[in-house]
Amino acid sequence: TLLKDTDKLSDNKDNLRLATSTDPATGEEIIFLATSSNGRIDTINQTRFNDNSLNMIWKSENVAGLIGSAQADDTNGGNGNFSFASDPTNHNRVLAGGNSFRPLASQGGLVAVTFANGGDTKIERLFAQFNSNNSAPHADSRDIIFLKTKNGYKIIESDDGGVYQKENNLSGKWSGINQGLNTAEGYASDWSNIGNLAITAMQDNSVAIGSFSKKPVWLNVYGCDGSIARFDDGIIGSDN
């Protein structure tokens, strides 16, 4: 069954995300809908739903330019992915994460939107310059969960740089929890029979060349995204 007016909210959008929560006072289900257009997360919407709902009223908040670009596009081979999750400590609060927060292309972050029962919607930007110690996760947010601890909930966020955590507040410090993972996403690899070398192009880790001698060593050539990894073992001046 199509929820009333969602067709209008999704017009000319290239991607959608859903999250839900429950109002503990009324038992009503709360639905959050995030939309993107031109690869950019542009609106976050909220409505209340119960079995007797006939006319649901959507509240909408424009967040275009606050979360990041080129993350949500699901066309032309895009990732079609951004993070979106409701806050278990506040049924009116939802968090979204996209690409980098400029001017630092490698830094990511989240935006929290709290819809008020009456009054203005509150927007919190969980980026470096708003957090303690100017901390930030990596760019390209993929998923968000809330982890309950003895001291309250923590935000756990995964992205192209690994897994990060922070306290569920605006000023809490971001910290990585990647110790021991040693993961990388390889796009392409090649092998040189002459030099006994390997080369790999990796997402967000550029290109690395490995020498398989008595002491194997990897040399990272540069930063950012790697795409091509090739060796030419041909003889100079020859067609071979």
Side-chain angles (χ1 to χ4, degrees):
T1 301
L2 179 67
L3 295 182
K4 183 177 176 59
D5 292 333
T6 50
D7 54 336
K8 298 177 182 178
L9 294 173
S10 60
D11 278 350
N12 300 313
K13 305 297 182 181
D14 52 37
N15 212 343
L16 306 174
R17 283 288 183 275
L18 284 172
T20 62
S21 65
T22 303
D23 187 332
T26 65
E28 289 179 304
E29 293 297 321
I30 296 174
I31 301 173
F32 298 100
L33 172 68
T35 70
S36 72
S37 58
N38 299 318
R40 174 168 291 188
I41 306 165
D42 55 359
T43 72
I44 294 179
N45 311 272
Q46 182 208 54
T47 191
R48 289 173 172 262
F49 177 82
N50 59 50
D51 292 338
N52 298 317
S53 295
L54 295 177
N55 295 306
M56 291 183 295
I57 299 174
W58 286 93
K59 299 177 181 178
S60 184
E61 190 67 24
N62 186 344
V63 295
L66 300 183
I67 300 177
S69 61
Q71 177 71 26
D73 189 6
D74 202 20
T75 59
N76 300 320
N79 293 313
N81 186 32
F82 59 88
S83 58
F84 195 56
S86 60
D87 185 344
T89 69
N90 185 338
H91 58 276
N92 283 318
R93 189 172 186 253
V94 67
L95 276 68
N99 201 341
S100 58
F101 178 76
R102 304 298 177 180
L104 297 176
S106 63
Q107 285 192 359
L110 304 175
V111 167
V113 178
T114 304
F115 291 90
N117 292 328
D120 296 333
T121 299
K122 180 181 179 182
I123 296 180
E124 300 167 281
R125 305 178 72 181
L126 282 65
F127 291 106
Q129 59 267 57
F130 305 106
N131 298 305
S132 63
N133 199 34
N134 288 324
S135 59
H138 195 277
D140 301 321
S141 182
R142 303 298 182 181
D143 200 6
I144 304 166
I145 65 169
F146 288 84
L147 177 66
K148 188 175 183 180
T149 72
K150 62 181 181 181
N151 297 319
Y153 279 91
K154 283 188 174 183
I155 300 171
I156 308 294
E157 187 255 10
S158 68
D159 51 51
D160 281 9
V163 185
Y164 294 80
Q165 66 176 349
K166 78 184 303 290
E167 301 300 325
N168 188 17
N169 56 55
L170 179 62
S171 61
K173 179 182 177 182
W174 282 103
S175 61
I177 49 176
N178 302 303
Q179 294 82 358
L181 289 177
N182 297 323
T183 57
E185 180 182 357
Y187 283 144
S189 296
D190 198 12
W191 175 261
S192 171
N193 291 315
I194 295 176
N196 200 25
L197 301 172
I199 186 171
T200 298
M202 298 170 287
Q203 169 74 20
D204 285 332
N205 289 279
S206 192
V207 177
I209 298 175
S211 173
F212 287 85
S213 57
K214 292 182 179 180
K215 294 182 178 180
V217 176
W218 283 95
L219 172 65
N220 194 260
V221 177
Y222 194 61
C224 299
D225 293 336
S227 58
I228 299 173
R230 289 297 299 269
F231 282 118
D232 184 358
D233 280 350
I235 300 174
I236 297 176
S238 170
D239 293 334
N240 298 321

